[in-house]
Amino acid sequence: MNERFRAVVHGTVFAVLVGWVLYVARDILVPVAFGVMALYVVLGSARLLAKVPLLGPAAPEWLRLTLATLVIAGALVLLVGVATDSVDRLLQRVPQYQAQLVALVQQGAAVLDIESEPSWDSIRQAVMAQVNLQRLAGSTLGWAASLVGTLVVVALYVAFLLVERRHFDAKIERLAPGPERAARIRRVVGDINRRIGTYLALKTLLGVLLGLASWIILAAMGVELAPFWALLVGLLNYVPYVGSILGVALPALFALLQFGDLKTALALTGLLSLVQFLNGHLLDPYLMGSSLNLSPFVILVSLTVWTALWGLPGAFLAVPLTASIVMVLAQFAGSRPIAVLLSKKGEV
């Protein structure tokens, strides 16, 4: 009993230290984690291309990797272009949105039968001093510039990881104490690579489909910055549970600000909710299944923990990071019970 208690104490202290290091070094570790995640998307996409009838099995690995890399690089360039163009258009329309916001507040005051409808000055004194759209647009521009720099760093990480990938097996052979241990490490790493890579590749495909469907709805209803909102909806697909809610709420609130019409915003909310429902209850279960074998409760807790450690990037990385940890824990007798508890059905 004393040995078990000592092991629990040591494990708890180790987990706290690891969490502290992750929090302190987040500015360094987050781009690295995104680089690894992007690498998994490339490898997973290349693996899925091999399953395409006729052309897939005949294509050599280097061709599939090159094709997957070019497609993802093109998607990143498109992402940066859409984000930059959307920020420019947002800055040009800030006065219009401010005037529309005042009109919405005045309409709300009339509905609530407030004796004197608030003017712009009273709104600014009471609320808008804390919510300045011009300042928000400026911070968005800074965020877009930071995003471009981060993407460049991530692209460099992916390039070097792809180059060094072929030497990984040789490093394992030299690090492992024997052939059996080396084979076990390769098996564990291969399982992680296969499951995480497939998950991220399919999640990316679902995000593209979800973003395309959302763009069609937004463009048909005349919502401004439709490509930006569609891109945001696709990216939020990586965030479990919360991403679906934000993918509906944010475009709907913007539509309310643009049109000043509650009925239009509610109609958009209904259509986007339908798309999210079809994705979450039909496409996602059909394509993903239980590929990562994580309990829904564990996914929610991991989302909270990783967001607390790394902020918004942690929300995007929560599921693949937690799944990797569970797969590693399942390989050791001492930590296997933890992996069983974290799994969806107790099978690891």
Side-chain angles (χ1 to χ4, degrees):
M1 186 64 183
N2 291 335
E3 290 295 330
R4 290 183 178 179
F5 180 74
R6 187 180 295 112
V8 170
V9 172
H10 290 169
T12 303
V13 172
F14 178 74
V16 171
L17 288 175
V18 170
W20 179 78
V21 171
L22 289 173
Y23 179 77
V24 172
R26 60 187 180 277
D27 292 338
I28 299 174
L29 296 177
V30 166
V32 175
F34 271 114
V36 175
M37 180 178 174
L39 176 65
Y40 274 130
V41 173
V42 172
L43 296 178
S45 301
R47 194 177 295 110
L48 292 176
L49 286 175
K51 298 180 181 180
V52 177
L54 300 178
L55 297 178
E61 183 183 17
W62 68 267
L63 180 59
R64 287 185 277 110
L65 284 174
T66 302
L67 181 61
T69 303
L70 291 176
V71 170
I72 294 172
L76 290 177
V77 172
L78 177 63
L79 183 152
V80 173
V82 170
T84 304
D85 179 68
S86 299
V87 170
D88 291 340
R89 295 172 62 187
L90 177 63
L91 291 174
Q92 294 173 3
R93 288 174 171 80
V94 164
Q96 173 187 340
Y97 297 146
Q98 286 181 334
Q100 187 63 52
L101 181 59
V102 174
L104 286 173
V105 174
Q106 291 175 337
Q107 290 176 14
V111 171
L112 296 175
D113 197 23
I114 297 175
E115 292 183 0
S116 60
E117 295 183 3
S119 63
W120 171 248
D121 291 334
S122 61
I123 295 173
R124 183 173 52 193
Q125 292 174 3
V127 180
M128 295 306 295
Q130 305 298 325
V131 187
N132 187 289
L133 293 182
Q134 192 73 41
R135 188 188 312 149
L136 179 61
S139 63
T140 304
L141 185 61
W143 171 83
S146 176
L147 175 64
V148 173
T150 302
L151 289 177
V152 172
V153 174
V154 170
L156 289 175
Y157 285 153
V158 173
F160 280 95
L161 286 171
L162 281 172
V163 171
E164 297 184 10
R165 175 172 164 265
R166 63 178 182 270
H167 303 300
F168 187 73
D169 288 341
K171 293 179 180 180
I172 291 179
E173 292 288 346
R174 290 173 172 80
L175 287 174
E180 294 182 359
R181 183 65 64 84
R184 182 181 180 185
I185 295 175
R186 281 198 300 269
R187 185 174 67 254
V188 173
V189 173
D191 187 37
I192 293 175
N193 291 342
R194 177 181 57 81
R195 292 170 64 177
I196 300 296
T198 302
Y199 168 81
L200 290 175
L202 290 176
K203 203 69 174 175
T204 301
L205 175 62
L206 288 173
V208 171
L209 296 176
L210 184 61
L212 180 60
S214 301
W215 175 76
I216 292 174
I217 294 172
L218 292 165
M221 296 190 68
V223 178
E224 296 177 348
L225 308 179
F228 171 77
W229 293 115
L231 178 63
L232 184 63
V233 170
L235 290 176
L236 287 173
N237 186 54
Y238 286 103
V239 182
Y241 308 131
V242 180
S244 299
I245 298 174
L246 293 178
V248 174
L250 294 179
L253 290 174
F254 181 81
L256 179 62
L257 180 63
Q258 176 187 340
F259 298 110
D261 181 14
L262 184 60
K263 292 182 180 179
T264 303
L266 289 177
L268 180 62
T269 300
L271 291 173
L272 292 179
S273 298
L274 177 61
V275 172
Q276 292 283 355
F277 177 83
L278 294 176
N279 175 70
H281 291 79
L282 293 179
L283 284 178
D284 200 310
Y286 177 75
L287 292 177
M288 305 296 296
S290 55
S291 56
L292 296 185
N293 191 27
L294 287 178
S295 163
F297 176 74
V298 170
I299 292 176
L300 187 60
V301 172
S302 69
L303 178 64
T304 305
V305 172
W306 285 106
T307 303
L309 289 174
W310 285 355
L312 183 60
F316 286 91
L317 297 167
V319 173
L321 287 175
T322 304
S324 301
I325 293 172
V326 170
M327 282 184 270
V328 172
L329 292 176
Q331 302 302 316
F332 303 95
S335 58
R336 186 175 178 82
I338 301 176
V340 172
L341 291 174
L342 297 178
S343 65
K344 186 174 184 179
K345 298 181 180 179
E347 300 174 356
V348 293

